[in-house]
């Protein structure tokens, strides 16, 4: 049997959703129907609905691939999450394709009943110019949306639908980025208002004014290690549930959600499941982005160079834990002053990374490095005034991966590979690569460039010694 509403009652009580999905309605729109959303925001929203008795359901919109939408619809939008146990989640009540279901997406986003939008579209989904942080209006995809085609980017779709909401009712709404980026709320606000400013709408100035006054863009921090789904994930869920779930996801037990308490309209009471609402998320955000995400990237490139496959594989080496602790020691001085316990956070990171049950693949983490490195490492280099030995080693491993990509993907892959063409020496390659990802100022630091280049031969030989 396949997981569906008709098979829900056959599950053991401990495997069933916290609230009956038939009692929910689409009140939250989410862009990005990936494993992370299913193992994170969907759980918090289901718990909020159960605790409040309010019908907080999610309409999940996938920007591109139709396959997740079709699979979820075939299961009445039900799926399971496995951490300490396996249970079905029922908070998603609609699955939509952003382009084929554009009419329904627009209808929901203009409805005053919908008061929250969340996004997990990764860094590349924001189309930001690495030099300015603003919307890259010259990008062909954004330019095509601005030219009037039915939007195919999340930013184009969201900006266009928010403008339609303004024209229809002007009802306030909150738009919540759940992607790993410093100042993600401000970054999202900038690209949405940037799209409106560049559009040829007759009322674009009024739309921009409304976006500034009636639409909130709270900053957030999301944290949970969610490996890519495999056949083993699906088989394990089927064994636990007794029904087949093609949308099963597995995750580590730990999860965190910190949100800026600045919403413009009603929201689910996510705090019922442990979400933390604060006045300023910056200390939480930078600690997570620079320590967890930053060391994750270092683990990915160094681990791939050493022939490892997963994060746990790296932590099982003689140098993995030493690398994490060395990297975080170099980065921690750049964090803002706060009452957060950095040593305890690092200890928890080491424990989480070493969990052999979480097969978090290095190729998954290493993908889109040109965007991730720009967010996670370059600000640290600037604030430190250079790189310590571990950060320089990690940068050398990333440089190596631009030439020997180990199966990882990157939106700038061709440009990064071209940095090696006819280069007279390794230092030239390093400077070109830093410039390509928005670090022209860092490329002009001879000491930094030399420190990275000096470590490249050892990395190329797979000799990792943090």
């Amino acid at each position: 049997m396949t997981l569906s509403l008709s098979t829900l009652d056959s599950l053991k009580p401990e495997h069933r959703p916290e609230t009956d999905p038939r009692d929910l309605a689409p009140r939250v729109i989410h862009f990005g129907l990936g494993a992370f959303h299913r193992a994170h925001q969907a759980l918090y929203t289901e718990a909020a609905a159960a605790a409040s008795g309010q019908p907080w359901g999610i309409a999940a919109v996938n920007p591109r691939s139709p396959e997740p939408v079709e699979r979820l619809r075939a299961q009445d939008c039900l799926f399971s999450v496995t951490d300490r146990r396996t249970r079905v989640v029922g908070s998603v009540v609609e699955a939509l394709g952003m382009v084929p279901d554009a009419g329904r997406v627009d209808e929901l986003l203009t409805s005053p009943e919908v008061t929250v939008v969340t996004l997990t579209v990764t860094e590349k989904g924001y189309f930001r110019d690495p030099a300015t942080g603003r919307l890259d209006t010259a990008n062909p995809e954004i330019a095509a949306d601005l030219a009037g085609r039915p939007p195919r980017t999340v930013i184009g779709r969201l900006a266009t639908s928010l403008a339609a909401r303004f024209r229809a009712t002007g009802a306030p709404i909150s738009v919540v980025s759940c992607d790993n980026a410093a100042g993600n709320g401000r970054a999202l606000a900038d690209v949405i208002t940037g799209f409106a400013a560049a559009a040829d709408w007759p009322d674009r100035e009024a739309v921009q004014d409304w976006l500034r006054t009636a639409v909130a863009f709270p900053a957030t921090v999301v944290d949970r290690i969610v490996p890519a789904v495999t056949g083993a994930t699906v088989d394990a869920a089927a064994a636990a549930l007794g029904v087949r779930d093609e949308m099963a996801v597995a995750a580590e037990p730990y999860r965190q959600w910190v949100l800026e308490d600045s919403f413009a309209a009603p929201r689910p009471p996510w705090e019922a499941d442990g979400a933390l609402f604060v006045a300023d998320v910056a200390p939480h955000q930078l600690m997570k982005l620079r320590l967890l995400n930053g060391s994750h990237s270092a683990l990915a490139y160094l681990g791939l160079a050493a022939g490892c496959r997963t994060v746990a594989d790296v932590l099982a080496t003689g140098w993995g834990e030493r690398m994490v602790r060395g990297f975080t020691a170099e980065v921690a001085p750049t964090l803002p002053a706060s009452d957060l316990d950095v040593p305890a956070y690092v200890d928890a990171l080491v424990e989480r990374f070493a969990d052999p049950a979480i097969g978090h693949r290095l190729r998954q983490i290493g993908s889109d490095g040109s965007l991730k490195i720009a967010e996670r490492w370059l600000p640290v280099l600037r604030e430190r005034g250079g790189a310590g030995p571990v950060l320089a080693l990690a940068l050398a491993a990333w440089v190596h991966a631009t030439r020997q990509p180990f199966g990882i993907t990157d939106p700038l892959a061709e440009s990064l590979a071209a940095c090696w063409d006819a280069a007279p020496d390794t230092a030239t390659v390093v400077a070109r690569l830093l410039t390509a990802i928005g670090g022209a100022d860092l490329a002009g630091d001879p000491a930094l460039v030399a420190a990275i280049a000096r470590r490249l031969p050892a990395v190329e030989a797979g000799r990792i010694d943090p």
Side-chain angles (χ1 to χ4, degrees):
M1 294 189 296
T2 300
L3 179 62
S4 67
L5 288 172
S6 63
T7 59
L8 206 53
D9 292 340
S10 68
L11 302 180
K12 294 179 180 179
E14 61 266 28
H15 296 315
R16 296 176 190 169
E18 291 188 18
T19 189
D20 191 330
R22 288 162 286 211
D23 294 337
L24 304 180
R27 297 289 183 266
V28 177
I29 308 301
H30 180 81
F31 285 89
L33 185 49
F36 185 82
H37 169 67
R38 303 201 301 278
H40 193 274
Q41 297 91 26
L43 292 175
Y44 283 97
T45 301
E46 181 176 78
S52 66
Q54 299 172 343
W56 289 108
I58 302 169
V61 181
N62 211 46
R64 296 199 178 275
S65 172
E67 184 179 3
V69 175
E70 293 165 359
R71 287 188 174 186
L72 206 56
R73 285 174 174 173
Q75 298 183 175
D76 296 325
C77 293
L78 299 173
F79 58 90
S80 65
V81 176
T82 298
D83 40 42
R84 291 188 179 92
R85 62 186 176 98
T86 300
R87 69 177 180 90
V88 173
V89 179
S91 55
V92 175
V93 296
E94 283 191 56
L96 303 167
M98 190 178 75
V99 174
D101 299 311
R104 177 58 177 163
V105 174
D106 210 42
E107 177 186 359
L108 288 167
L109 279 166
T110 55
S111 168
E113 296 297 310
V114 172
T115 56
V116 177
V117 179
T118 56
L119 297 88
T120 50
V121 295
T122 75
E123 293 93 333
K124 63 186 175 185
Y126 291 74
F127 292 94
R128 298 169 72 197
D129 183 329
T132 66
R134 303 292 182 181
L135 181 69
D136 183 4
T137 54
N139 181 281
E141 290 295 306
I142 292 294
D145 283 1
L146 286 168
R149 74 170 181 187
R152 295 183 188 174
T153 69
V154 171
I155 299 307
R157 174 74 276 159
L158 188 50
T160 301
S161 292
L162 287 173
R165 184 184 183 95
F166 160 72
R167 296 171 192 129
T169 66
I173 192 169
S174 301
V175 186
V176 185
S177 169
C178 300
D179 287 297
N180 290 317
N184 54 8
R186 183 72 262 161
L188 179 57
D190 284 347
V191 293
I192 294 296
T193 55
F195 189 96
D200 61 358
W201 306 328
D203 58 353
R204 65 182 181 182
E205 291 187 6
V207 170
Q208 292 174 72
D209 288 341
W210 177 78
L211 287 169
R212 285 188 285 266
T213 57
V215 183
F217 295 90
T220 67
V221 181
V222 295
D223 191 3
R224 191 173 210 189
I225 296 173
V226 184
V229 176
T230 66
T233 309
V234 175
D235 291 343
L241 297 173
V243 296
R244 191 76 177 168
D245 173 17
E246 297 296 338
M247 291 296 284
V249 62
E252 66 168 338
Y254 179 91
R255 57 186 166 99
Q256 179 192 47
W257 200 1
V258 184
L259 303 99
E260 181 183 3
D261 195 5
S262 61
F263 283 68
R267 60 162 178 82
W270 289 312
E271 59 268 39
D273 199 33
L276 181 65
F277 287 83
V278 299
D280 182 12
V281 305
H284 300 268
Q285 194 170 60
L286 285 176
M287 186 164 73
K288 193 256 180 173
L289 186 70
R290 294 187 179 181
L291 299 188
L292 186 150
N293 298 126
S295 59
H296 244 173
S297 290
L299 286 167
Y301 300 118
L302 290 166
L304 287 167
C308 299
R309 188 181 66 87
T310 69
V311 172
D313 290 343
V314 180
L315 268 289
T317 68
W319 54 267
E321 179 176 344
R322 189 166 73 252
M323 192 286 297
V324 173
R325 293 191 181 279
F327 181 94
T328 54
E330 291 179 10
V331 171
T334 70
L335 299 177
S338 73
D339 59 358
L340 298 177
D341 190 340
V342 173
Y345 187 82
V346 173
D347 288 342
L349 285 185
V350 170
E351 182 178 351
R352 292 168 65 191
F353 291 166
D355 186 351
I358 305 299
H360 205 181
R361 291 181 288 181
L362 301 178
R363 289 196 303 177
Q364 178 189 1
I365 300 166
S367 290
D368 301 334
S370 62
L371 301 173
K372 293 175 180 177
I373 298 289
E375 285 280 358
R376 300 172 185 183
W377 294 356
L378 299 196
V380 172
L381 293 171
R382 293 183 177 109
E383 291 174 35
R384 279 181 50 94
V390 180
L391 184 49
L393 182 66
L395 281 157
W398 168 71
V399 168
H400 177 49
T402 64
R403 190 180 201 182
Q404 174 62 45
F406 303 105
I408 62 177
T409 59
D410 194 292
L412 295 183
E414 292 185 7
S415 298
L416 299 178
C419 292
W420 291 84
D421 293 346
D425 51 42
T426 304
T428 300
V429 175
V430 171
R432 288 175 179 176
L433 288 168
L434 289 172
T435 300
I437 62 171
D441 56 324
L442 299 169
D445 180 348
L448 171 63
V449 170
I452 298 168
R454 188 166 59 247
R455 288 166 172 80
L456 190 57
V459 169
E460 291 174 333
R463 298 193 307 271
I464 310 300
D465 186 17

